[in-house]
Amino acid sequence: MISRTLGLEFGGSIGTLFFFANVVGSAMAISGCTEGIMDNFGPGGHFVGDGATLPDGKWWRFLTSSIINTCQLLVCLVGAALFAKTSVIILGTVTVSLLATYISFLALGGNNDKIPVPVENTYYNQSTFLPYTGLSANTLSDNLGAQYGHDYTSNNKMVDFSTTFGVLFSGVTGIMAGANMSGELKNPAKSIPWGTLSAVAFTFVSYIILSFLMSCTTPGVTMRNNYLFLMPVNAWPPFTAIGILTATFSTGLSNLIGSSRILEALSKDQVFGSLLNFVLHGTWKGNPIAAVAVSWVMVECILLIGSFNIIAQINSVLFMLSYLATNLACLGIELTGAPNFRPLFKYFTWHTCLVGLLGTLIMMFVINPIYASICIILCLILVIALHLFSPATQAAQWGSISQALMFHQVRKYLLMLDPRKDHVKFWRPQILLLVSSPRSCCPLVDFVNDLKKSGLYIIGHVIVGDFQSVEDMEENQQWWSFLDHMRVKAFTEVTLSRSIREGVQHLTRLSGIGAMKPNTIILGFYDDEPPKDFFQNGSSPYKTDDFNAGEVHNFPIRRDGDPKHFKVQEYVQILCDTLRMKKNLCLCRNFQRLDKNFIAISKHVKYIDVWPINVFNPTCGDPFDMVSLFMMQLAVIMLAKWKHLRVRIFLCETNDERTVGTFDTQSPQMEIFSKLKLQQSLKELRITADIIEIEEWSRDSDFVRHARTLKQFTAQADNTLPEDDDGDETMNRSLLYMQRANQIIRDRSDQTALSFIYLAAPPKLTTKDFAARSASYVELLTELTADLPPTILVHGVSTVTSTTL
């Protein structure tokens, strides 16, 4: 029941301790039964006089306990039917013995020669007999206060409230016996509540009456120095002996069969995987023979402790932990407001759960703080172990209250997270990564998981089709399995639309919830390179067969020679849509070459490069505009992951675009000013980076001429170029310029792990001849990034840095 409610981790750990509680409870009852046998038939026993007696001693008592335990084993091996019949006979016997004790208290008068001092009580030496007054108001008055003494069965240790409570509490731990036997009942939903409540009521009334009569008739000194004083005051002493022996035997039998059923439940739920499979294989006609045998062995081990009071305290602490978990389960479900939680017990309220939870927690430490701490630590260790190693299928099958509680809390905090209170000081990337097939982008998915910096991470995918024609949209299980395989902290969003562009619009606008919305969109690069299947590549760290079912592969991939899913024009339209929706944009290329493990151990790879120059429109303006600051922020985030690398910023000296018709180089004063300004900006941002000056943009006249041609080419996006301009010639010169820029970057990337390059804005959607411009735009970017290390083309649209934090 606990595992079905609290989840596999909590239920399995507490269920394991509940199993040990029943084992210890059985051992405690057997110890009590043995103690009763020895006091009656051992040396100085009530029924043997000077005749032959049972030998007494530590190991003789262990032998007697083992014989009783074996008798209980035989009853359990026969099955629950014999247990039920035995319990009925024992109940009748105990009831008769209890009534005889009540009558004896009321009918017999006082006698100071009735109750002898036990032989093992060496602490009390005032007389050989203990006083007994019979019904007396004075005796009742004297017994109202606390009169703790020494425990003569435990080396005369001082008894206090915690010890007394621990021993007495063990007498009411059978409240869960009905739940333990739920698998054997015809109608558990009806039998368990009525049976449990009636048993508790009967026990409570019996204990109250017995306690009251004892307080009225027996002085405190007698109760402290002879734990079996009820026998000599009984009209027929064997009644007491029979009652003690049958009651303890019944309790031990109930706990033994209960522990075997709990162990069977743990094995059925596969809480410990295949470790307990032998329990299932050892079941015969519904009776868990192997579980009974294991429980019997465990009881034998506990019996070696010997002391009844010590076993009773351990037993009480373990049962209290189980009751704490039961209260926690009910309280947790009530607090989550789960609609399916509708208890039939009309007096149920979360107040009683809270009181029960706090009461059991406090009393655990009152009884014995050492035992309580050990049990809680063991419980936490089991919770962590089961969380790490338990089968995920079982957790999904039964659910977990932790999921309901997290949903309740997350919803509350999401409502409190107000986007109007966002401040740039606390900016972090909230990323939507658009993927075509997970098979071909595993390194990129893994990389973005590091780039998110504890922010939102959503992996988006678009299925092209008509909603009416698609039969099955349930692909979430595959995507969650993919996230588990990649070990990334991300969400997935899959949408269906008539085109890729429309689907990306849906994902960009609707992904996330509340203030947790993507602010950065990351796409792969549009090129002709065939995708690489990282699930099938033998050397890939992401290799797996989990997504292959025979010849059918989940997440199909575009093979070499297959047409692309959409045109380059639609790709550029997606870029334009992203910027129109005020989202930061990143295009990633060459990430199939990324090897995080190699970067981590390599001494050759040393740098993360940042190129804060708009290659499409190089100027000598501020090298740290909004786009460049966004690039720098991303570079610093990755530097936190790759701590052994350094950031390099390439300061590219260019001619001022306001210079008309000349290509003269900048003055030395201007060069110094730019570098000093960049250094000052880095200092204010508290960024440590190396500044590398690049002079090709201003020193090479042919290069500068081609750059000016590119400016003219990009001006055509705004329809500002004269109509008689030779477009083909302009494009050829622009490609030469890009090839030269690529060569500059490539020459300095030999030791580079990752490059951030300024991404110029794409042609506007209203541009004349947009299709041709789109193809040219992508072609220029392709030339710029050819044969580079893993590269991110970045275009930022919002402020992401602050010097005040």
Side-chain angles (χ1 to χ4, degrees):
M1 288 192 300
I2 296 172
S3 64
R4 301 294 191 275
T5 307
L6 292 181
L8 193 64
E9 299 93 340
F10 289 99
S13 58
I14 295 171
T16 303
L17 294 180
F18 191 39
F19 163 74
F20 286 119
N22 278 270
V23 167
V24 174
S26 180
M28 183 202 70
I30 293 173
S31 296
C33 187
T34 301
E35 190 171 315
I37 292 174
M38 290 301 171
D39 286 337
N40 289 298
F41 302 101
H46 294 282
F47 301 119
V48 295
D50 297 329
T53 62
L54 292 175
D56 195 5
K58 178 180 179 180
W59 293 109
W60 284 109
R61 291 197 175 211
F62 177 74
L63 176 61
T64 305
S65 298
S66 299
I67 294 173
I68 298 171
N69 191 24
T70 304
C71 293
Q72 294 180 356
L73 171 67
L74 297 176
V75 174
C76 293
L77 290 177
V78 173
L82 181 59
F83 167 76
K85 295 176 182 178
T86 305
S87 298
V88 172
I89 297 173
I90 291 175
L91 175 62
T93 304
V94 171
T95 303
V96 171
S97 301
L98 188 60
L99 290 175
T101 302
Y102 291 162
I103 295 172
S104 299
F105 275 130
L106 297 173
L108 300 180
N111 188 338
N112 289 334
D113 296 330
K114 237 180 203 183
I115 307 174
V117 177
V119 176
E120 64 270 24
N121 187 351
T122 58
Y123 181 78
Y124 184 83
N125 54 14
Q126 298 180 15
S127 64
T128 57
F129 289 93
L130 298 168
Y132 177 75
T133 64
L135 291 173
S136 171
N138 293 331
T139 303
L140 176 62
S141 176
D142 293 339
N143 285 331
L144 291 179
Q147 300 181 34
Y148 299 115
H150 294 80
D151 178 15
Y152 64 85
T153 65
S154 300
N155 298 321
N156 293 325
K157 292 176 61 177
M158 189 66 186
V159 177
D160 53 16
F161 172 78
S162 60
T163 306
T164 307
F165 183 87
V167 173
L168 291 178
F169 184 79
S170 61
V172 295
T173 53
I175 190 172
M176 299 288 280
N180 295 344
M181 295 293 295
S182 58
E184 315 291 341
L185 301 175
K186 293 182 179 179
N187 189 359
K190 180 179 179 181
S191 301
I192 291 177
W194 280 105
T196 300
L197 292 176
S198 59
V200 169
F202 178 81
T203 305
F204 176 77
V205 172
S206 301
Y207 283 170
I208 290 296
I209 295 175
L210 185 61
S211 300
F212 179 75
L213 292 176
M214 287 168 56
S215 300
C216 291
T217 60
T218 311
V221 63
T222 302
M223 290 188 280
R224 289 193 301 271
N225 290 284
N226 190 334
Y227 297 154
L228 293 176
F229 70 90
L230 290 178
M231 186 173 298
V233 303
N234 201 306
W236 191 53
F239 267 137
T240 304
I242 293 171
I244 292 174
L245 297 180
T246 53
T248 52
F249 185 86
S250 173
T251 303
L253 185 61
S254 174
N255 284 325
L256 182 62
I257 197 169
S259 61
S260 65
R261 267 44 179 188
I262 295 170
L263 186 61
E264 181 188 19
L266 291 172
S267 61
K268 283 183 178 179
D269 281 357
Q270 292 288 296
V271 171
F272 296 99
S274 59
L275 183 63
L276 297 178
N277 281 350
F278 71 92
V279 174
L280 296 178
H281 298 319
T283 301
W284 182 70
K285 291 185 178 181
N287 190 20
I289 304 298
V292 172
V294 171
S295 301
W296 178 84
V297 172
M298 297 291 293
V299 171
E300 285 290 301
C301 296
I302 300 299
L303 288 172
L304 291 172
I305 296 177
S307 174
F308 175 84
N309 286 354
I310 294 176
I311 297 176
Q313 290 187 50
I314 299 174
N315 172 70
S316 298
V317 169
L318 287 172
F319 269 105
M320 283 216 173
L321 184 59
S322 303
Y323 300 154
L324 183 148
T326 306
N327 283 295
L328 179 62
C330 295
L331 178 63
I333 298 179
E334 178 70 13
L335 292 180
T336 60
N340 287 319
F341 182 58
R342 295 183 290 272
L344 297 177
F345 186 60
K346 62 181 180 180
Y347 298 109
F348 171 81
T349 172
W350 67 268
H351 303 85
T352 56
C353 296
L354 181 60
V355 171
L357 188 151
L358 295 177
T360 51
L361 181 62
I362 293 171
M363 292 312 301
M364 281 175 59
F365 286 92
V366 169
I367 292 172
N368 194 305
I370 296 177
Y371 295 162
S373 301
I374 292 174
C375 288
I376 291 176
I377 291 173
L378 286 175
C379 183
L380 292 177
I381 292 174
L382 285 170
V383 168
I384 296 172
L386 290 174
H387 177 73
L388 295 176
F389 303 111
S390 63
T393 54
Q394 293 297 322
Q397 179 181 0
W398 300 116
S400 173
I401 195 174
S402 60
Q403 295 295 309
L405 288 172
M406 283 188 287
F407 177 88
H408 183 269
Q409 292 301 109
V410 167
R411 171 189 166 277
K412 181 174 73 173
Y413 287 119
L414 275 175
L415 292 173
M416 296 171 61
L417 192 61
D418 191 345
R420 295 168 296 182
K421 298 180 181 178
D422 283 347
H423 194 278
V424 65
K425 287 191 296 185
F426 308 107
W427 181 92
R428 67 181 69 243
Q430 315 244 54
I431 298 173
L432 170 61
L433 172 64
L434 300 172
V435 301
S436 174
S437 173
R439 290 179 175 272
S440 59
C441 59
C442 292
L444 180 58
V445 170
D446 195 10
F447 168 80
V448 175
N449 186 59
D450 295 335
L451 186 66
K452 72 180 187 301
K453 189 61 175 179
S454 301
L456 179 68
Y457 181 17
I458 300 175
I459 299 176
H461 176 69
V462 179
I463 300 175
V464 179
D466 187 1
F467 188 80
Q468 296 180 350
S469 62
V470 176
E471 296 180 358
D472 185 14
M473 274 289 292
E474 292 295 330
E475 293 191 356
N476 283 339
Q477 290 296 331
Q478 298 179 18
W479 283 93
W480 284 111
S481 298
F482 170 69
L483 296 182
D484 291 338
H485 170 64
M486 294 297 299
R487 298 182 179 179
V488 297
K489 298 177 181 179
F491 302 96
T492 60
E493 287 287 353
V494 180
T495 189
L496 175 68
S497 65
R498 293 181 176 86
S499 67
I500 299 290
R501 181 188 180 190
E502 182 182 347
V504 172
Q505 290 174 350
H506 294 168
L507 293 173
T508 305
R509 290 177 58 248
L510 302 177
S511 294
I513 184 172
M516 297 189 67
K517 289 279 191 178
N519 56 30
T520 303
I521 312 300
I522 299 181
L523 298 87
F525 195 79
Y526 192 97
D527 55 21
D528 295 325
E529 188 168 344
K532 182 179 179 181
D533 190 346
F534 288 93
F535 290 169
Q536 298 297 308
N537 191 310
S539 61
S540 169
Y542 312 104
K543 186 178 186 303
T544 179
D545 294 323
D546 294 344
F547 303 99
N548 303 327
E551 297 182 357
V552 179
H553 290 181
N554 296 329
F555 306 127
I557 190 173
R558 179 177 63 86
R559 300 300 176 184
D560 191 15
D562 293 345
K564 291 181 178 290
H565 299 302
F566 59 107
K567 303 294 184 182
V568 64
Q569 177 182 353
E570 188 176 5
Y571 178 76
V572 178
Q573 287 173 337
I574 291 172
L575 307 185
C576 295
D577 293 340
T578 300
L579 297 179
R580 286 180 63 197
M581 287 186 274
K582 303 300 181 183
K583 306 291 186 182
N584 302 311
L585 178 64
C586 296
L587 306 182
C588 298
R589 191 180 187 194
N590 300 328
F591 271 80
Q592 73 278 3
R593 304 175 186 174
L594 181 67
D595 189 339
K596 291 173 57 178
N597 296 329
F598 176 75
I599 293 174
I601 62 175
S602 175
K603 295 183 179 179
H604 178 73
V605 178
K606 299 180 179 179
Y607 304 112
I608 298 174
D609 291 346
V610 178
W611 295 83
I613 181 173
N614 184 354
V615 182
F616 280 65
N617 187 19
T619 67
C620 63
D622 186 358
F624 264 15
D625 61 2
M626 188 175 294
V627 176
S628 299
L629 285 171
F630 182 55
M631 297 165 57
M632 179 57 62
Q633 185 77 290
L634 297 181
V636 172
I637 290 174
M638 289 312 303
L639 189 64
K641 293 293 182 181
W642 296 330
K643 298 181 184 298
H644 63 291
L645 302 184
R646 291 185 58 82
V647 173
R648 292 191 302 183
I649 302 175
F650 290 89
L651 178 60
C652 302
E653 302 171 4
T654 64
N655 284 28
D656 195 326
E657 61 180 355
R658 291 169 296 182
T659 305
V660 181
T662 66
F663 295 96
D664 296 334
T665 59
Q666 298 179 93
S667 66
Q669 292 81 5
M670 179 61 72
E671 295 177 14
I672 295 172
F673 172 77
S674 297
K675 186 172 183 179
L676 290 176
K677 186 176 181 181
L678 180 56
Q679 290 174 339
Q680 182 62 29
S681 298
L682 292 174
K683 184 177 179 181
E684 291 177 355
L685 293 170
R686 300 174 302 282
I687 294 175
T688 302
D690 301 330
I691 300 176
I692 310 297
E693 296 181 86
I694 304 296
E695 300 180 353
E696 276 83 344
W697 261 271
S698 59
R699 304 299 183 188
D700 190 329
S701 59
D702 290 337
F703 184 54
V704 173
R705 188 182 308 110
H706 292 321
R708 186 169 181 81
T709 302
L710 178 61
K711 294 180 186 179
Q712 295 176 343
F713 175 77
T714 55
Q716 296 181 22
D718 298 323
N719 298 323
T720 58
L721 194 68
E723 293 183 358
D724 58 349
D725 184 81
D726 188 350
D728 291 338
E729 180 63 22
T730 302
M731 183 61 187
N732 290 335
R733 291 183 179 179
S734 299
L735 288 174
L736 290 174
Y737 166 73
M738 283 297 180
Q739 291 170 1
R740 178 61 179 137
N742 170 262
Q743 184 65 45
I744 294 172
I745 298 173
R746 211 163 10 130
D747 289 344
R748 292 159 177 81
S749 299
D750 179 58
Q751 296 179 302
T752 300
L754 179 67
S755 293
F756 292 92
I757 299 179
Y758 194 117
L759 174 64
K764 296 181 180 180
L765 294 173
T766 56
T767 302
K768 181 181 178 181
D769 196 12
F770 177 79
R773 294 296 164 203
S774 300
S776 301
Y777 175 78
V778 174
E779 187 176 359
L780 291 172
L781 293 178
T782 303
E783 291 294 337
L784 175 64
T785 57
D787 299 323
L788 293 182
T791 301
I792 304 180
L793 297 164
V794 180
H795 191 94
V797 297
S798 58
T799 305
V800 299
T801 57
S802 172
T803 59
T804 61
L805 182 65

